[in-house]
Amino acid sequence: MMHLIIKKKYYKVLFFTTAFIVFVLAIVPNDQIKLSIDNADKVKHFTAFFVLSFLLNRASSTIAHRLRNMGALLGFGIFIEIVQLFFPFRESSIEDVIADSVGILIFQLFLSIFRFLRYYYQKQK
């Protein structure tokens, strides 16, 4: 079976590109980007930070890096909310930071479960 291997440096490029796009989307007028579901803004925050967590995790791998990455992403989410205070067409809220945090934590939970299962099944062989 052929494995798709992407080097860490490419994940870094993807991470910074995605982070830039997330930041730009966070400061443009909100009425430009609409989803027709309840709490769409929170879903967008959750999804963005879940994806950012994945990309940043793939760019670095140790447990110390995982903890640092989680803190850095949370700081990025808080930074976005602070920047939004300066734009009259945007709203800043603690609920957005909570949605960011949940996206980060759910990714880390899935990653931990995946790694545990992979370890467990490798031990069974």
Side-chain angles (χ1 to χ4, degrees), residues 12-116:
K12 288 178 184 178
V13 170
L14 284 171
F15 168 77
F16 285 110
T17 302
T18 305
F20 176 76
I21 291 168
V22 166
F23 181 75
V24 169
L25 291 174
I27 61 173
V28 297
N30 201 17
D31 59 350
Q32 301 293 325
I33 307 158
K34 289 283 187 192
L35 291 177
S36 60
I37 58 174
D38 293 338
N39 297 314
D41 183 54
K42 305 310 173 251
V43 171
K44 289 187 270 185
H45 278 268
F46 171 88
T47 304
F49 280 81
F50 186 94
V51 170
L52 287 170
S53 292
F54 167 76
L55 294 172
L56 193 53
N57 183 73
R58 296 303 301 154
S60 61
S61 56
T62 68
I63 190 70
H65 287 152
R66 281 178 70 186
L67 295 173
R68 179 202 64 199
N69 294 347
M70 291 170 62
L73 286 173
L74 180 58
F76 180 57
I78 293 168
F79 172 74
I80 286 172
E81 296 307 309
I82 291 169
V83 169
Q84 286 179 340
L85 289 171
F86 298 97
F87 291 90
F89 48 82
R90 294 300 304 209
E91 287 185 25
S92 180
S93 76
I94 191 70
E95 290 86 6
D96 290 346
V97 175
I98 293 169
D100 299 343
S101 301
V102 171
I104 294 165
L105 292 173
I106 294 295
F107 170 78
Q108 294 299 327
L109 176 65
F110 284 175
L111 178 64
S112 295
I113 291 169
F114 171 76
R115 286 184 172 172
F116 171 78

